[in-house]
């Protein structure tokens, strides 16, 4: 049995579109797990048969790590033999689930991830055949051909689309729930996999398309989360993550950097500057997984 796990806060239109994609490609022996991090109702095609969980911290940062852990535990309890995580923004291309399933049969001890292409604003979602031509795939992440599994550095792990067996999930230890809100938990999971001796493989054919949404670059609205999670990551691994964002915050006068301790902290009176608007391809998954 394969579990398809998605955590969501808001983004109900994106979730509904993802559900439609999954139903078109549904295969026997799959279960659906949706974890809501808010109080909005889950009204999607699979809702009557899906496992719907709620992991909420009222008034606090989004509990992303806790939500993913809860989804995994529910899937394992339901008898899942493969955990496939899809970000709510991701639309699976044909063959994604099968590619992950084939790779997991060959390498049940590996952490598996696939290529994601970012769709531009205004794309016609009724014409998925056009996605390949208009989507943007970042060149620094592997994109192997179908049937190929390419080893990669654990810094390149992202949670947009990944899969592993329950045994490998247990070996890694799940996501660290000490990360709260935006930033850091993806790279931490990759580092935890490396520390546990779990190889990261990019799986050819396990591809998805990322639905467009506006983002800030740098994400100033998540400044406090990023600083807090940076401190946690650095204390655990001895490396400063998300340095691209942190340096951009420093340029805006929002944070100061101590070159002796290599620590970033909020300035006493940060300048209230507005970050430039950037396409989704420049935002969340790629900058936040830059741990070096």
């Amino acid at each position: 049995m394969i579990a398809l796990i998605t955590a969501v806060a808001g983004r109900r239109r994106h979730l509904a579109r993802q559900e439609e994609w999954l139903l078109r490609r549904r295969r026997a022996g799959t279960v659906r797990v949706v974890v809501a991090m808010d109080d909005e109702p889950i009204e999607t095609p699979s809702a009557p048969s899906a496992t719907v969980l709620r992991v909420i911290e009222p008034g606090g940062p989004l509990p992303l790590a806790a939500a993913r852990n809860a989804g995994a535990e529910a899937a394992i309890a339901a008898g899942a033999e493969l955990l496939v995580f899809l970000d709510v923004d991701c639309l699976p291309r044909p063959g994604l689930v099968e590619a992950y399933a084939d790779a997991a049969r060959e390498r049940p001890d590996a952490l598996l991830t696939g290529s994601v292409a970012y769709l531009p604003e205004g794309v016609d979602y009724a014409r998925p055949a056009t996605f390949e031509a208009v989507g943007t795939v970042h060149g620094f992440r592997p994109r192997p051909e179908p049937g190929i599994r390419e080893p990669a550095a654990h810094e390149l792990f992202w949670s947009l689309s990944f899969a592993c067996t329950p045994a490998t999930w247990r070996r890694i230890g799940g996501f660290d729930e000490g990360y709260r809100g935006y930033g850091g938990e993806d790279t931490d999971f990759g580092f935890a996999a490396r520390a546990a001796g779990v190889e990261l493989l990019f799986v050819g054919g396990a591809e998805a398309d990322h639905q467009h949404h506006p983002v800030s670059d740098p994400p100033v609205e998540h400044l406090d989360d990023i600083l807090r999670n940076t401190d946690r990551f650095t204390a655990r691994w001895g490396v400063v993550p998300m340095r691209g964002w942190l340096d951009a915050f420093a340029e805006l006068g929002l944070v100061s950097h101590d070159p002796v301790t290599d620590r970033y902290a909020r300035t006493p009176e940060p300048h209230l500057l507005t970050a430039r608007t950037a396409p989704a391809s420049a935002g969340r998954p790629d900058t936040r997984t830059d741990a070096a």
Side-chain angles (χ1 to χ4, degrees):
M1 182 187 296
I2 298 172
L4 302 171
I5 304 165
T6 299
V8 58
R11 301 278 173 82
R12 291 306 192 261
R13 172 181 277 187
H14 283 201
L15 177 64
R17 192 178 286 128
Q18 183 189 78
E19 289 278 286
E20 293 172 7
W21 251 248
L22 290 173
L23 286 174
R24 289 178 202 164
R25 297 159 173 75
R26 192 150 202 171
R27 53 177 278 171
T30 62
V31 296
R32 180 70 164 135
V33 179
V34 178
V35 187
M37 296 178 286
D38 56 36
D39 288 321
E40 292 183 34
I42 300 290
E43 296 178 356
T44 58
S46 74
S49 60
T51 298
V52 178
L53 310 173
R54 295 195 183 277
V55 176
I56 303 173
E57 291 187 14
L62 284 179
L64 291 165
R68 293 178 187 137
N69 289 346
E73 293 306 317
I76 292 170
E81 298 168 307
L82 179 63
L83 311 176
V84 176
F85 291 79
L86 284 175
D87 185 273
V88 68
D89 295 326
C90 285
L91 301 175
R93 291 189 181 180
L96 176 144
V97 174
E98 289 74 13
Y100 276 142
D102 290 345
R105 278 191 289 271
E106 293 180 13
R107 290 295 308 276
D109 58 338
L111 176 60
L112 311 170
T113 191
S115 177
V116 176
Y118 292 86
L119 299 175
E121 185 175 10
V123 69
D124 186 354
Y125 289 102
R127 301 176 62 201
T130 66
F131 290 178
E132 177 70 29
V134 300
T136 300
V137 179
H138 288 279
F140 63 84
R141 279 192 168 87
R143 190 187 182 188
E145 293 296 320
I148 304 299
R149 298 76 159 98
E150 184 173 338
H154 290 80
E155 288 86 348
L156 296 182
F157 171 78
W158 54 5
S159 62
L160 287 179
S161 169
F162 73 99
C164 62
T165 62
T168 297
W169 173 264
R170 299 285 194 219
R171 185 174 173 183
I172 296 170
F175 285 86
D176 181 353
E177 297 184 15
Y179 292 89
R180 297 168 62 247
Y182 194 87
E185 83 284 349
D186 274 16
T187 312
D188 182 274
F189 188 83
F191 275 42
R194 182 171 63 189
V198 174
E199 188 173 22
L200 176 65
L201 299 178
F202 273 75
V203 177
E207 299 195 341
D209 293 289
H210 187 281
Q211 302 176 71
H212 177 82
H213 61 82
V215 298
S216 298
D217 181 21
V220 294
E221 66 272 27
H222 300 293
L223 173 61
D224 289 328
D225 289 350
I226 289 170
L227 288 173
R228 181 181 60 252
N229 290 342
T230 291
D231 287 344
R232 183 174 186 85
F233 188 100
T234 304
R236 184 175 186 188
W237 302 110
V239 178
V240 177
M242 303 179 283
R243 195 181 290 275
W245 283 346
L246 294 166
D247 288 341
F249 292 148
E251 290 179 7
L252 291 173
L254 297 171
V255 303
S256 60
H257 176 237
D258 184 335
V260 176
T261 63
D262 201 16
R263 187 173 185 274
Y264 294 80
R266 253 191 183 276
T267 54
E269 296 180 0
H271 303 292
L272 300 178
L273 300 178
T274 302
R276 64 187 181 277
T277 299
S281 60
R284 178 174 180 264
D286 296 312
T287 308
R288 72 187 295 196
T289 54
D290 178 13

